[in-house]
């Protein structure tokens, strides 16, 4: 009697192990959000999280049939703490996927840890070229850009305006230096010459001596990479120094994204290049902007967009394996070959898993980065040094 009961139970369990049963039993998907909650990039981290969560909510709170459990670490945009911080998510919380971060130096340490542990990493901002270059790995994806891309696109725009002599100014770290390199490559290919590169340590805002140098050299144009709180201060200081009237300032679009209310009149008319703009008039972007504004009582920016698309990429991958993250090859293949229906415009991923996307010319009008044209269509990062 007891034996037959045992046999029946075993048979019943086997019968129930159909896909539907197995799926119903999958535990919540653990998502580790490693983003800055303090410092000059705090607002950027906040927008990425809001964007990510908006897409998850659109999917009814589930991706690939699994509810989402969030784990959060404030990375402080501090590279020296990055390895310890990412290991809190990988080793302590045992997350299934890491989403982060903003700062390239922090993200480089995260990519190393992700490569070593095999944890899926989706980078929703940091552009460090190496992440989809020499440090690439099948489990490392980016929903944003490589630093080279917006730098290059802005160089195309500046050369196209006929400027010949440029100076560059940025923070001395991977994002600043790589963005300037991209700018220089395109600007000089277009017939210009970068006469001087200037930088200060991240996240410094002592711009005065550098502005004095710009005034003395009188270039045709200044290219700047700054973002977040630092970008607010730089744009205001450039104007207050009297330079805005005499020497055109251009930048990768981070210079004026998520910052316009704080920059006010100082930002009006600035020209930048980026893979997003506020007024892209497609049903997809309009729906995104309306939903985001209703949910958050604030308009989205490029960071919100990148967080949203990180969730879209994850959703596509998980749907393809019905939430079963042990099917890594199938999961990564689905993500890599997906066409993402982004509010920025549809994009695909390069073999190195970085977005191949259009870069827009934008002009600041009021509190908006208004698209006035396309700088480069379907710009792909060269992915130098990645062996896929
Ligand atoms: C970066 O560190 O890669 C970075 C930070 C802020 C941005 C863009 C890139 O807006």
């Amino acid at each position: 009697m007891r034996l037959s009961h045992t046999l029946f139970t075993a048979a019943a369990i086997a019968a129930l192990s159909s896909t539907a049963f197995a799926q119903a039993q999958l535990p919540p998907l653990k998502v580790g959000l490693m983003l800055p909650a303090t410092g000059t990039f705090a607002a950027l981290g906040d927008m990425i999280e809001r964007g990510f969560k908006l897409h998850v909510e659109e999917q009814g709170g589930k991706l690939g049939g699994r509810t989402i459990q969030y784990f959060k670490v404030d990375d402080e945009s501090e590279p020296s703490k990055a390895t310890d911080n990412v290991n809190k998510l990988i080793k302590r919380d045992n997350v299934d996927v890491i989403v982060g971060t903003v700062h390239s130096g922090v993200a480089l340490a995260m990519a190393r840890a992700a490569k070593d542990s095999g944890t899926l990493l989706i980078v929703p901002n940091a552009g460090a070229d190496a992440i989809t270059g020499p440090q690439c790995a099948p489990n490392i994806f980016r929903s944003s850009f490589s630093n080279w891309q917006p730098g290059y696109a802005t160089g195309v725009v500046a050369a196209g305006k006929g400027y010949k002599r440029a100076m560059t100014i940025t923070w001395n770290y991977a994002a600043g230096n790589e963005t300037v390199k991209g700018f220089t490559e395109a600007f000089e290919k277009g017939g210009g010459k970068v006469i001087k590169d200037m930088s200060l340590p991240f996240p410094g805002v002592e711009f005065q001596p550098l502005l004095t140098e710009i005034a003395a050299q009188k270039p045709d144009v200044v290219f700047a990479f700054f973002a977040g709180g630092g970008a607010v201060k730089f744009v205001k200081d450039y104007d207050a120094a009297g330079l805005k009237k005499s020497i055109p300032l251009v930048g990768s679009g981070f210079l004026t994204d998520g910052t316009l209310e704080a920059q006010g009149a100082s930002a009006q008319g600035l020209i930048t290049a980026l893979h997003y703009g506020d007024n892209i008039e497609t049903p997809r972007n309009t729906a995104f902007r309306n939903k985001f504004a209703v949910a958050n009582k604030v308009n989205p920016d490029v960071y919100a967009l990148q967080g949203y698309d990180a969730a879209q990429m994850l959703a596509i991958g998980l749907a393809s394996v019905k939430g079963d993250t042990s099917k890594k090859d199938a999961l990564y293949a689905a993500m890599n070959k997906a066409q993402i229906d982004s509010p920025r415009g549809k994009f695909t991923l390069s073999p190195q898993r970085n977005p191949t996307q259009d870069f827009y010319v934008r002009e600041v009008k009021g509190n908006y980065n208004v698209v006035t044209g396309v700088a480069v269509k379907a710009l792909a990062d060269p992915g130098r040094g990645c062996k896929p």
Side-chain angles (χ1 to χ4, degrees), residues 41 44 101-105 107 125-128 145 147 171 173-176 179 202 225-228 254-255 302-303 306:
F41 290 159
L44 290 58
T101 188
V102 171
H103 184 288
S104 274
N125 183 70
F145 56 90
N147 288 324
W171 284 311
Y173 81 119
T179 309
F202 175 88
F225 167 85
F226 293 106
F254 311 113
L255 194 63
V302 68
Y303 309 103
Q306 294 168 167

Side-chain angles (χ1 to χ4, degrees), residues 155-166:
V156 169
V157 173
K161 288 188 175 293
Y163 300 132
K164 295 295 176 213
R165 294 167 65 252

Side-chain angles (χ1 to χ4, degrees), residues 82-133:
T83 302
D84 282 348
N85 277 331
V86 73
N87 279 327
K88 289 180 193 161
L89 296 171
I90 295 173
K91 296 189 175 152
R92 181 191 68 191
D93 301 331
N94 207 10
V95 299
D96 297 296
V97 50
I98 304 165
V99 177
T101 188
V102 171
H103 184 288
S104 274
V106 176
L108 284 166
M110 295 174 71
R112 268 191 294 276
K115 197 168 178 172
D116 289 349
S117 64
T119 313
L120 173 58
L121 170 65
I122 306 176
V123 179
N125 183 70
D129 291 341
I131 290 174
T132 50

